[in-house]
């Protein structure tokens, strides 16, 4: 019988102990691939003789004896040289691009921002710019008289009285002063319910959202965009957070006519990218445009793994409803009353986009108690006397809208209106007395829920063809293409069919 030799495939081929072509999992005491690479790294150490002199090194130049590295300061830092004239030109161009909210400056860490913004940091007086060193110090120094505001007491008193008159004239209409000097009375202290949304905790939550967000979306009520807007935060983002992007979102655009929405889009788009939105899980409007803009911003921030989008605004403007619309399900708790969102919360939209919900914040302004109630900051159920705010409602809303909503024909004042509303709806107390408080709360509830037609018309401006200066120029860079896409999305909504409240232009309401 002849014996057959075993095939080479059946015989196990041995591997060297320093062979890196193996798995990273060490089994049966064998070395893993990571261990083999680490042991081979140790062989890169220089070879020395018995006296310690280096004989051979892997990173040593072979061109002996010229193995010494030439001394050059470029080896020790990433330095660039620029003359002062070129720096001034670059500073002017950067200032022009930063003033346009449709432009984005990428790779800001690689720019010499400290050289470009040094005039803002230096608050001390430059003595040598006022007078040369030789005249201020040394043997040739000249002693000068100090610059005084006045030479004698009479001129000083006259200057002080003039400053007082100028201050009184400037702050004559300032509501934050303690009282009117004419009658000597001080304004009454407000109830704590009218200070909702102004606590330190709420402002702390707001700045948490601002610090964590790459894109900030300020949600505005389309019925009164300027009244629910915060110029203080816009100024803060422009001065201290240049790398963050701000978008204005006109929510509840279904409560006003389409021509008013388009008018506000034209007005606000001159300052920031503005979109119209209707928050609804089943029939939304503007959802595709907003998602497209967020994707473009994620494309701009391609150096980050994901971007965060923060939603800020007044209470009861629909921040949580916008997030639910983007997710197409109820991920945030919503209610038609202010103060439902207590703390900030993260919501995942996609792998690269995260949404941050923020509690409603009331910004410091000169609003009266009635303005605060009508903006939806205070819950109507907590009001002690709701009837005192009905007069402003009757002044802001057209009479035909109220007649159509409550089926009341004629009334003299707010008391007569509430009296007829009580008899019509059956809101009566014992003895047949009208329940004016309940009727007033009904009207305020309908106001906050949008059942009473009201909106502030946009300012009537002449059509200006300056959109070309607002939009970024075309280019091969991806950033220009992304910003042009954002500008196209914002301008495209002007041609879309916007849902409206079926009100004609003659029924517009005047601004308060």
């Amino acid at each position: 019988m002849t014996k057959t030799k075993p095939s080479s495939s059946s015989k196990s081929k041995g591997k060297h102990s320093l062979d890196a072509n193996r798995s990273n999992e060490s089994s049966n005491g064998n070395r893993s691939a990571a261990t083999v690479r680490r042991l081979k790294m140790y062989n890169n150490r220089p070879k020395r003789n018995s006296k310690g002199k280096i004989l051979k090194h892997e990173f040593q130049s072979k061109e002996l004896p010229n193995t010494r590295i030439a001394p050059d300061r470029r080896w020790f830092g990433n330095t660039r040289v620029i003359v002062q004239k070129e720096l001034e030109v670059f500073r002017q161009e950067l200032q022009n691009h930063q003033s346009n909210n449709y432009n984005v400056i990428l790779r800001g860490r690689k720019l010499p921002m400290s050289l470009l913004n040094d005039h803002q940091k230096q608050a001390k007086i430059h003595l040598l710019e006022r007078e040369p060193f030789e005249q201020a110090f040394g043997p040739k120094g000249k002693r000068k008289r100090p610059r005084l505001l006045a030479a004698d007491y009479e001129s000083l008193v006259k200057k002080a009285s003039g400053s007082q008159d100028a201050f009184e004239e400037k702050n004559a209409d300032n509501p934050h002063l303690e009282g009117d000097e004419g009658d000597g009375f001080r304004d009454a202290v407000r109830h704590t319910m009218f200070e909702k949304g102004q606590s330190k905790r709420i402002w702390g939550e707001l700045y948490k959202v601002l610090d964590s967000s790459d894109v900030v979306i300020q949600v505005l009520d389309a019925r009164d965009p300027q009244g629910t807007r915060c110029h203080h935060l816009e100024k803060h983002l422009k001065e201290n957070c240049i790398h963050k992007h701000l978008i204005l979102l006109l929510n509840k655009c279904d409560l006003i006519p389409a021509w008013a929405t388009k008018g506000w889009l034209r007005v606000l788009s001159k300052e920031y990218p503005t979109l119209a939105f209707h928050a609804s899980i089943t029939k939304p409007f503007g959802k595709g445009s907003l998602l497209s803009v967020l994707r473009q911003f994620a494309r701009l921030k391609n150096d980050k793994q994901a971007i965060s989008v923060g939603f800020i605004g007044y209470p009861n403007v629909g921040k949580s409803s916008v997030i639910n619309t983007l997710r197409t399900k109820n991920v945030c708790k919503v209610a038609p009353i202010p103060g439902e969102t207590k703390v900030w919360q993260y919501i995942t939209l996609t792998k690269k986009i995260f949404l941050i919900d923020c509690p409603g914040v009331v910004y410091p302004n000169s609003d009266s108690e009635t303005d605060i109630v009508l903006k939806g900051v205070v819950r109507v159920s907590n009001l002690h006397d709701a009837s005192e705010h009905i007069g402003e409602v009757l002044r802001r809303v057209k009479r035909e809208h109220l007649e159509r909503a409550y089926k009341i024909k004629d009334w003299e004042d707010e008391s007569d209106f509430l009296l007829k509303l009580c008899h019509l709806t059956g809101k009566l107390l014992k003895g047949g007395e009208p329940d004016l408080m309940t009727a007033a709360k009904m009207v305020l509830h309908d106001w906050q829920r949008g059942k009473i037609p009201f909106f502030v018309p946009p300012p009537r401006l002449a059509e200006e063809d300056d959109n070309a200066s607002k939009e970024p120029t075309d280019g091969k860079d991806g950033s220009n293409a992304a910003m042009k896409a954002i500008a196209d999305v914002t301008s495209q909504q002007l041609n879309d069919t916007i849902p409206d409240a079926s009100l004609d232009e003659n029924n517009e309401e005047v601004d308060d």
Side-chain angles (χ1 to χ4, degrees), residues 17-75:
S17 60
L18 292 179
D19 186 9
N21 297 326
R22 58 180 67 195
S23 62
N24 285 324
E25 298 179 358
S26 60
S27 60
N28 299 328
N30 297 329
R31 294 171 178 173
S32 62
T35 304
V36 172
R37 288 193 296 268
R38 178 171 52 82
L39 293 176
K40 285 187 174 182
M41 182 184 64
Y42 295 156
N43 296 329
N44 294 332
R45 291 180 296 181
K47 306 295 183 182
R48 302 176 182 269
N49 58 7
S50 59
K51 295 182 180 180
K53 184 178 180 180
I54 297 177
L55 300 178
K56 181 181 178 182
H57 196 281
E58 183 179 356
F59 304 107
Q60 188 178 18
S61 176
K62 304 301 187 293
E63 299 177 0
L64 296 175
N66 300 325
T67 59
R68 182 173 180 269
I69 300 176
D72 196 335
R73 62 177 298 178
R74 289 179 296 177
W75 290 104

Side-chain angles (χ1 to χ4, degrees), residues 395-509:
R395 282 189 291 271
R396 294 190 182 188
V397 183
K398 291 289 185 180
R399 179 178 289 265
E400 52 266 24
H401 297 331
L402 294 174
E403 292 177 355
R404 185 170 55 198
Y406 296 106
K407 305 297 186 297
I408 300 177
K409 294 301 180 182
D410 297 322
W411 63 87
E412 297 178 357
D413 53 1
E414 59 268 18
S415 300
D416 188 23
F417 177 79
L418 292 177
L419 183 62
K420 293 184 177 180
L421 182 61
C422 290
H423 288 290
L424 184 63
T425 57
K427 303 297 182 182
L428 302 175
L429 298 174
K430 291 183 179 180
E433 296 182 0
D435 192 358
L436 301 180
M437 180 66 67
T438 304
K441 289 184 178 181
M442 285 176 52
V443 176
L444 293 179
H445 274 298
D446 295 341
W447 170 276
Q448 292 186 355
R449 285 163 172 77
K451 296 181 180 180
I452 301 177
F454 163 77
F455 67 96
V456 177
R460 300 182 182 276
L461 300 178
E463 293 294 335
E464 300 177 358
D465 297 334
D466 57 349
N467 294 329
S469 61
K470 294 291 184 180
E471 297 179 359
T473 57
D474 296 336
K476 296 181 180 180
D477 192 5
S479 62
N480 291 336
M483 292 308 299
K484 188 176 185 303
I486 294 174
D488 292 341
V489 170
T490 56
S491 61
Q492 184 182 1
Q493 280 200 337
L494 294 175
N495 301 324
D496 294 343
T497 303
I498 301 176
D500 57 356
S502 300
L503 297 176
D504 55 358
E505 187 172 353
N506 297 326
N507 291 336
E508 69 180 29
E509 187 57 45

Side-chain angles (χ1 to χ4, degrees), residues 80 106 128 151 153 168 182 193 416 445 494:
R80 297 291 185 271
L106 301 177
L128 298 181
Y153 286 110
E168 292 176 356
M193 77 172 66
D416 188 23
H445 274 298
L494 294 175

Side-chain angles (χ1 to χ4, degrees), residues 62-206:
K62 304 301 187 293
E63 299 177 0
L64 296 175
N66 300 325
T67 59
R68 182 173 180 269
I69 300 176
D72 196 335
R73 62 177 298 178
R74 289 179 296 177
W75 290 104
F76 304 98
N78 187 11
T79 59
R80 297 291 185 271
V81 179
I82 184 172
V83 298
Q84 186 67 25
K85 185 177 294 184
E86 294 179 358
L87 185 63
E88 290 294 335
V89 173
F90 184 69
R91 177 182 295 174
Q92 185 66 27
E93 292 180 357
L94 183 65
Q95 186 69 23
N96 295 336
H97 283 80
Q98 286 181 346
S99 60
N100 190 355
N101 294 310
Y102 284 85
N103 288 336
V104 177
I105 298 176
L106 301 177
R107 301 180 181 90
R109 297 179 180 178
K110 295 185 179 181
L111 297 177
M113 303 303 293
S114 59
L115 296 177
L116 302 176
N117 301 326
D118 56 349
H119 60 283
Q120 298 178 357
K121 290 186 177 181
Q122 296 176 355
K124 59 183 180 180
I125 301 176
H126 301 281
L127 297 178
L128 298 181
E129 294 181 0
R130 293 179 174 268
E131 51 188 354
F133 183 84
E134 293 80 6
Q135 296 182 6
F137 306 99
K140 296 183 180 180
K142 299 179 181 180
R143 184 176 180 181
K144 296 183 178 181
R145 296 179 60 184
R147 298 179 181 179
L148 300 178
L149 297 177
D152 50 2
Y153 286 110
E154 295 180 359
S155 59
L156 183 62
V157 170
K158 185 181 297 184
K159 186 174 182 60
S161 60
S163 301
Q164 180 68 20
D165 296 339
F167 176 80
E168 292 176 356
E169 183 179 357
K170 180 180 179 181
N171 300 278
D173 299 331
N174 192 354
H176 293 286
L177 297 179
E178 292 184 355
D180 189 7
E181 295 183 357
D183 52 6
F185 290 98
R186 183 177 298 179
D187 295 337
V189 180
R190 285 183 177 179
H191 195 275
T192 55
M193 77 172 66
F194 296 103
E195 298 178 357
K196 296 295 183 181
Q198 303 180 15
S199 62
K200 291 184 178 180
R201 186 191 70 83
I202 295 295
W203 279 95
E205 297 289 328
L206 172 66

